[in-house]
Amino acid sequence: QKEVEQDPGPLSVPEGAIVSLNCTYSNSAFQYFMWYRQYSRKGPELLMYTYSSGNKEDGRFTAQVDKSSKYISLFIRDSQPSDSATYLCAMSARNTNAGKSTFGDGTTLTVKP
Amino acid sequence: GAGVSQSPRYKVAKRGQDVALRCDPISGHVSLFWYQQALGQGPEFLTYFQNEAQLDKSGLPSDRFFAERPEGSVSTLKIQRTQQEDSAVYLCASSLVVQGPFLGNTIYFGEGSWLTVV
């Protein structure tokens, strides 16, 4: 079983919908949680990161971490066609090099106009 | 440069052939990472450089994989005697500072080198 499991999708929603993307993990040492967006044939780009439990908001994006349940989510409000991409969650432990994060396998999102 | 540059973007290699993949990090970036991303999966860490020093190569899958960064800027990932299971996207990433525990210092990825072994 992988340390990080991500809903595989694909996910297709109409423009303007609220999108929920989720990951679960098994390693209780993970304390840093990241969300990356990867467009087709491009490299991942960091969207948001959070430390430990709680919520973090950035524009239309909200990242949520529940360490007690080992569950993280990314919410996208008012989704746009330009949000169509693969979303990767990633996690690292406190004393781990951030570049050595453990990634989920990604959820592919399509937002239809 | 403006971003992390990787070449070639696409490479088809015959099984048994050696390949070399190049990464030009963002100018001045100290840290450089290589990842392997198989189709439908997330990136998996291969190796990490701090300037010219290879500090972590724990993710390299076999001794056929070798990486170097001799002058602390451009890096090359070499795969010897390629096999079909090596088919993947090889991503390079760099960051400005030394990466310890996550400090919010962004890691910038290149677009990847797509390797197909036939």
Side-chain angles (χ1 to χ4, degrees), chain B residues 51-69:
Chain B
N51 294 308
E52 68 278 3
Q54 188 175 22
L55 298 186
D56 189 336
K57 53 181 181 179
S58 61
L60 295 176
S62 77
D63 58 8
R64 296 186 296 103
F65 287 72
F66 171 76
E68 61 183 5
R69 193 186 185 196

Side-chain angles (χ1 to χ4, degrees), chain B residues 27-31 94-99 105-106 108:
Chain B
S27 178
H29 277 198
V30 169
S31 296
S94 69
S95 70
L96 181 60
V97 297
V98 173
Q99 286 283 303
N105 295 305
T106 303
Y108 295 89

Side-chain angles (χ1 to χ4, degrees), chain A residues 29-86:
Chain A
F30 288 148
Q31 294 202 10
Y32 297 94
F33 304 91
M34 288 74 75
W35 285 96
Y36 287 84
R37 179 174 61 196
Q38 186 172 26
Y39 289 116
S40 180
R41 297 189 175 269
K42 301 290 186 184
E45 57 176 328
L46 181 67
L47 271 179
M48 298 182 70
Y49 72 93
T50 55
Y51 170 69
S52 198
S53 286
N55 291 0
K56 185 174 183 179
E57 188 173 319
D58 184 1
R60 296 183 295 111
F61 298 88
T62 299
Q64 194 173 77
V65 174
D66 182 349
K67 289 193 71 180
S68 62
S69 302
K70 295 190 176 66
Y71 189 88
I72 71 169
S73 299
L74 178 71
F75 297 96
I76 307 174
R77 291 184 300 280
D78 187 25
S79 56
Q80 302 294 310
S82 58
D83 295 328
S84 298
T86 296

Side-chain angles (χ1 to χ4, degrees), chain B residues 6-86:
Chain B
Q6 292 189 245
S7 61
R9 284 294 324 273
Y10 303 95
K11 173 72 179 178
V12 178
K14 291 185 177 179
R15 191 169 52 187
Q17 187 179 353
D18 296 350
V19 299
L21 308 175
R22 176 189 169 103
C23 173
D24 254 297
I26 295 172
S27 178
H29 277 198
V30 169
S31 296
L32 186 144
F33 308 87
W34 282 99
Y35 303 83
Q36 181 188 60
Q37 186 174 22
L39 188 65
Q41 297 185 18
E44 292 198 358
F45 170 85
L46 294 177
T47 187
Y48 162 59
F49 289 86
Q50 179 182 318
N51 294 308
E52 68 278 3
Q54 188 175 22
L55 298 186
D56 189 336
K57 53 181 181 179
S58 61
L60 295 176
S62 77
D63 58 8
R64 296 186 296 103
F65 287 72
F66 171 76
E68 61 183 5
R69 193 186 185 196
E71 297 178 359
S73 55
V74 170
S75 177
T76 303
L77 176 67
K78 297 179 179 178
I79 309 173
Q80 297 177 322
R81 305 181 303 281
T82 52
Q83 300 178 6
Q84 283 190 319
E85 61 261 31
D86 299 335

